[in-house]
Amino acid sequence: MKFTRSEAIGAVEERADWDIVIIGGGATGLGIAVDAAARGYKTLLLEKYDFAKGTSSKSTKLVHGGVRYLANGDVKLVFSALKERGLIFKNAPHVSFVQSFVIPSYSFFSKMKFLIGLKLYDWMAGKLRIGKSSLLSKNDVLAKLPKIKTKGLQGGILYYDGQFDDARLAINLAQTAAEQGATVLNYADVMAITKDESNIVNGLHFKDSQSGKDYRIKAKAVINATGIFVDEILKLDSAEHKNLVRPSQGAHIVIDKKFLGDQDALMIPETSDGRVLFGVPWHGMVLLGTTDTPLNAHQIEPRPLEDEINFILNTAHAYLEGAPTRADIKSIFAGLRPLAAPTNGDSSSTKEISRDHKLIKSASGMITITGGKWTTYRKMGEETVDLAIRSANLTPATCKTQSLHVHGYSQEKHDGHWQVYGADLAHIQQLIKNDARLAEKIHPAYDFRLAEVVWACQHEMICKVEDFLARRIRLLLLDAKASWQAAPAVAKLMAEQLGKDEQWVKNELTDYEQLVQRYSI
């Protein structure tokens, strides 16, 4: 199946009845779609915006068990996440990478405490362990992190965890679902849930926001996997619904690699507010984050708060010589975690909110999944489909995703950002061979090429300039100003590929300029 909107719309118009319809095209929804389609169910996924537009493209880019969760005693979640980390490495090696982390220690007690904890972390990973934790001397730490502050430094701990490109894995999961037989559609806004005479959910009504056309479809099972927006969908199901989710914002800033290096990551285990902060090399830059700020409201494009930016900069200043200032920030971004709200206790504290996922079946039969983390997307998908089978009386079929290769699977290694294309890289290179003009860079300072725009138009379902610059390549998150400078050339080529006119180009550039402002200091 071609991965295009026209093919997906065609499938919607041809098929009246579906086994499983998923609302939400982030990590969770895409994982469910892959699982359901691989089991042979007639599967449709609808995403209101672009795939991974929300939280799923704004993570700290870590595939991890969660060292912090282990410290909080959430052993079950860590065991599960470490297993899933190993499966991501097996099934999507082109977008997942082993990353070394250094924890600098300024007391003997902290050094021993973290070593013991990380040895336990290694042990819990079992056969899927990706590295061995070890003690570092002061000189070892300085060799790995030359910018670290030396006063009181007594050494540190080296440990290993996973890193990935979240939006690239998301688009690959969408492609995998399509290859398994699912129909996957972005810019599809669910307007209503439909029910039979017994008040049981039997389908939904959505609008294709690109064409403006309405569609009504039947489904044996409807799954709400909309992350921070689950409550909006639940209110379509029941007007009396009380909110399940309490959003928590995680902010990040992106700086030049000169402030840390491009090999080893920094992990600060106990910041001034008792949380964890990472400095992670990513696509030639360094990502600093994250925060954990409880919010009462949510939006699709959150912006880091001034307090969060200052907290990250101040924490970096406490640990790094020549630490970055506001003037050094290339981009800022924030994601909202869909945390299951506490029913009692201090609702202003995110420490009281579960990091694990919750599966809920409404009286109408609609299934909602909320909470969880990127690393466990596959397991969440498996459990959700298992519940849908029981709930909708589908013919049972076993899960196949533990060993299912994700689209783009390749063991080959490539330089720079080309690595994340995996097996698709050869096709992009062929585009350049066929038309040498497509070798031109979209920005002189970065190695992104016009051929990638063509590829994304033809095979990665982009509709807006933002889809390409923010999620198919990651230039908006890496350097907001540079992404704006690249936008006119991208818009012009997209218009040629998608059959759009000059007015479309103008509108897209207006929209994108407004978006860039949210990623800029």
Side-chain angles (χ1 to χ4, degrees):
M1 174 182 174
K2 286 184 179 178
F3 192 72
T4 63
R5 292 193 89 255
S6 59
E7 290 277 338
I9 290 290
V12 169
E13 292 176 344
E14 287 173 16
R15 186 186 296 282
D17 298 302
W18 301 82
D19 294 324
I20 293 176
V21 175
I22 301 139
I23 310 170
T28 307
L30 292 165
I32 296 166
V34 170
D35 188 293
R39 298 197 207 197
Y41 299 119
K42 291 177 286 187
T43 303
L44 172 66
L45 179 143
L46 303 170
E47 162 56 42
K48 182 176 180 178
Y49 303 103
D50 184 31
F51 307 114
K53 156 80 170 171
T55 305
S56 296
S57 62
K58 296 163 185 169
S59 73
T60 313
K61 321 306 177 195
L62 300 180
V63 184
H64 62 145
V67 174
R68 172 181 160 190
Y69 310 139
L70 183 60
N72 292 344
D74 202 343
V75 175
K76 176 175 169 285
L77 176 61
V78 176
F79 258 122
S80 175
L82 285 171
K83 178 186 175 183
E84 295 303 317
R85 179 190 71 178
L87 294 179
I88 290 173
F89 272 78
K90 282 188 171 184
N91 295 325
H94 59 297
V95 289
S96 57
F97 318 96
V98 175
Q99 175 65 58
S100 55
F101 289 79
V102 174
I103 304 177
S105 297
Y106 293 86
S107 77
F108 177 78
F109 174 75
S110 69
K111 189 162 60 171
M112 290 301 105
K113 179 178 73 171
F114 295 129
L115 180 64
I116 291 167
L118 287 162
K119 287 292 186 185
L120 175 62
Y121 191 65
D122 290 349
W123 173 81
M124 289 172 73
K127 291 185 291 185
L128 295 172
R129 189 178 76 181
I130 58 174
K132 187 177 180 182
S133 302
S134 60
L135 273 176
L136 297 176
S137 68
K138 178 179 177 179
N139 287 338
D140 291 335
V141 173
L142 290 172
K144 290 182 172 297
L145 300 176
K147 302 287 188 179
I148 202 75
K149 286 196 171 176
T150 57
K151 186 177 179 181
L153 182 66
Q154 295 196 11
I157 312 296
L158 176 70
Y159 78 98
Y160 297 87
D161 226 326
Q163 191 203 60
F164 76 140
D165 189 309
D166 48 9
R168 289 302 313 176
L169 178 54
I171 191 65
N172 287 159
L173 289 173
Q175 292 165 314
T176 306
E179 288 165 356
Q180 294 298 315
T183 296
V184 181
L185 187 64
N186 57 3
Y187 295 98
D189 188 4
V190 173
M191 313 296 288
I193 303 292
T194 59
K195 299 179 182 179
D196 64 17
E197 60 278 2
S198 302
N199 212 33
I200 300 300
V201 168
N202 67 357
L204 51 77
H205 165 207
F206 78 91
K207 175 177 279 191
D208 174 11
S209 60
Q210 294 296 294
S211 68
K213 189 172 179 181
D214 290 344
Y215 295 89
R216 296 176 186 275
I217 57 174
K218 296 292 185 183
K220 294 174 184 172
V222 173
I223 296 169
N224 173 15
T226 52
I228 56 168
F229 298 105
V230 293
D231 290 314
E232 280 85 333
I233 300 299
L234 282 161
K235 284 168 187 170
L236 294 179
D237 179 42
S238 170
E240 291 78 43
H241 168 73
K242 290 184 172 60
N243 286 354
L244 283 172
V245 162
R246 178 73 188 278
S248 165
Q249 178 159 293
H252 304 81
I253 68 173
V254 177
I255 54 174
D256 193 277
K257 64 184 178 182
K258 69 183 181 183
F259 293 102
L260 183 70
D262 60 0
Q263 295 297 318
D264 299 287
L266 168 66
M267 198 272 234
I268 300 169
E270 293 172 346
T271 60
S272 59
D273 71 347
R275 302 192 186 278
V276 170
L277 193 85
F278 293 98
V280 185
W282 190 65
H283 284 314
M285 294 292 183
V286 167
L287 185 152
L288 293 177
T290 184
T291 57
D292 208 348
T293 307
L295 301 176
N296 291 317
H298 55 266
Q299 56 184 308
I300 189 62
E301 276 294 348
R303 177 182 165 91
L305 305 174
E306 283 299 311
D307 285 351
E308 292 178 308
I309 295 168
N310 291 334
F311 167 76
I312 294 171
L313 289 172
N314 290 341
T315 303
H317 181 76
Y319 282 85
L320 298 174
E321 301 286 359
T325 65
R326 289 177 69 90
D328 297 307
I329 294 175
K330 298 277 192 180
S331 186
I332 59 173
F333 66 93
L336 299 182
R337 306 176 187 91
L339 305 183
T343 53
N344 50 44
D346 178 9
S347 64
S348 68
S349 171
T350 59
K351 293 179 182 177
E352 298 298 321
I353 303 176
S354 172
R355 250 55 179 180
D356 212 343
H357 60 276
K358 288 188 178 181
L359 263 172
I360 301 149
K361 180 184 170 185
S362 302
S364 67
M366 187 173 77
I367 294 168
T368 295
I369 181 162
T370 184
K373 57 204 294 283
W374 233 123
T375 308
T376 58
Y377 85 87
R378 190 211 63 82
K379 183 64 175 172
M380 292 160 67
E382 179 181 352
E383 292 180 11
T384 306
V385 175
D386 285 345
L387 178 57
I389 292 168
R390 298 193 299 271
S391 176
N393 294 315
L394 300 175
T395 303
T398 56
C399 174
K400 296 177 172 60
T401 55
Q402 286 207 33
S403 57
L404 181 66
H405 288 174
V406 171
H407 177 91
Y409 175 94
S410 174
Q411 299 278 11
E412 284 189 63
K413 298 301 175 190
H414 304 282
D415 292 336
H417 80 284
W418 298 109
Q419 171 63 29
V420 298
Y421 285 108
D424 285 340
L425 177 57
H427 302 299
I428 298 169
Q429 291 170 333
Q430 188 61 47
L431 287 174
I432 294 172
K433 285 181 183 175
N434 294 343
D435 184 352
R437 292 172 299 176
L438 297 181
E440 183 183 333
K441 291 183 177 183
I442 67 169
H443 189 282
Y446 295 91
D447 195 29
F448 301 113
R449 310 298 176 113
L450 289 176
E452 295 173 76
V453 182
V454 174
W455 176 257
C457 287
Q458 295 178 354
H459 301 283
E460 294 184 348
M461 212 182 282
I462 58 171
C463 298
K464 295 180 68 62
V465 168
E466 168 199 339
D467 301 342
F468 180 75
L469 288 169
R471 289 175 292 278
R472 301 309 184 272
I473 66 172
R474 312 311 305 278
L475 190 53
L476 176 61
L477 274 65
L478 295 169
D479 189 332
K481 181 180 178 182
S483 81
W484 170 238
Q485 292 165 344
V490 170
K492 181 174 182 289
L493 185 52
M494 281 183 66
E496 292 173 11
Q497 289 290 314
L498 301 176
K500 304 294 184 180
D501 60 16
E502 194 61 37
Q503 188 58 49
W504 179 89
V505 172
K506 289 179 181 176
N507 293 343
E508 278 297 304
L509 292 177
T510 298
D511 289 351
Y512 192 67
E513 184 176 22
Q514 292 172 354
L515 182 67
V516 167
Q517 289 169 2
R518 300 190 68 82
Y519 287 72
S520 306
I521 287 287

